[in-house]
Amino acid sequence: MKKITLIWILFFLPYFVFANADTKSKEMCECLKKAKSSQAESDKKECLNLREKHVKALKKGSKQHEGYLKSLNQCEQELAGLPQVDPNLSTEEKTKLVCDCMKQATKQNRMGCFKLQSDYAKTISDSEEKKAFNLNSQSCGE
């Protein structure tokens, strides 16, 4: 009986662990949405406290924490009005998206465009292609 219980726990444990990270990222995303719409300092502080609590619970650097950050990154991009990063686009398409973002963004929102640029750069494995992308996408923001 103990072996069956142990097998059951080992089989379903990853599901519960990752579901926990997913639940926490959704909870954090809702907090960020609320803080963005209310603009109240107390709501922003609540999100900071919640994030700290989540990082402790998920053990920074763990697989669960990485999944949490990935889901949270998607939420933050959505809140900033940035398109989701599509690694399957050509380098030219990626450059155009970054340049369009730079042209349309106000000074306050340009940080989101730099993040978009960074995220797209991470999707390019060839070092020469990545270098060309960075140069081309940086020059369009000037």
Side-chain angles (χ1 to χ4, degrees):
M1 187 66 181
K2 286 183 182 181
K3 284 185 179 182
I4 293 173
T5 304
L6 182 61
I7 290 171
W8 187 87
I9 290 171
L10 292 175
F11 182 75
F12 287 105
L13 184 63
Y15 169 77
F16 291 117
V17 169
F18 287 110
N20 188 26
D22 189 47
T23 302
K24 288 186 182 328
S25 65
K26 286 178 183 173
E27 180 183 13
M28 185 64 185
C29 189
E30 289 305 313
C31 185
L32 292 171
K33 287 177 184 177
K34 178 183 172 190
K36 183 179 180 182
S37 65
S38 76
Q39 292 295 316
E41 285 301 316
S42 60
D43 288 338
K44 292 176 185 178
K45 195 168 190 161
E46 181 183 329
C47 292
L48 289 173
N49 291 335
L50 184 61
R51 187 171 190 143
E52 190 175 309
K53 180 180 154 190
H54 287 167
V55 169
K56 283 181 184 176
L58 295 172
K59 311 257 188 287
K60 189 174 182 178
S62 67
K63 290 255 188 221
Q64 302 90 330
H65 185 251
E66 289 174 22
Y68 171 78
L69 292 178
K70 188 175 181 179
S71 294
L72 205 50
N73 184 35
Q74 290 175 339
C75 173
E76 290 169 342
Q77 282 187 295
E78 182 183 307
L79 287 172
L82 297 174
Q84 292 295 316
V85 173
D86 182 357
N88 299 318
L89 296 176
S90 69
T91 304
E92 292 77 23
E93 291 170 315
K94 293 173 185 178
T95 303
K96 182 181 180 333
L97 281 172
V98 172
C99 288
D100 288 349
C101 182
M102 295 282 194
K103 289 174 188 169
Q104 296 170 2
T106 62
K107 267 197 176 218
Q108 185 181 7
N109 295 336
R110 286 182 69 117
M111 287 308 293
C113 299
F114 291 124
K115 174 143 181 30
L116 185 66
Q117 179 187 32
S118 173
D119 290 345
Y120 271 125
K122 291 174 188 171
T123 67
I124 302 170
S125 57
D126 181 70
S127 61
E128 290 300 315
E129 188 178 348
K130 184 182 287 193
K131 187 176 179 181
F133 167 77
N134 284 329
L135 288 171
N136 290 335
S137 60
Q138 284 172 0
S139 65
C140 69
E142 297 172 350

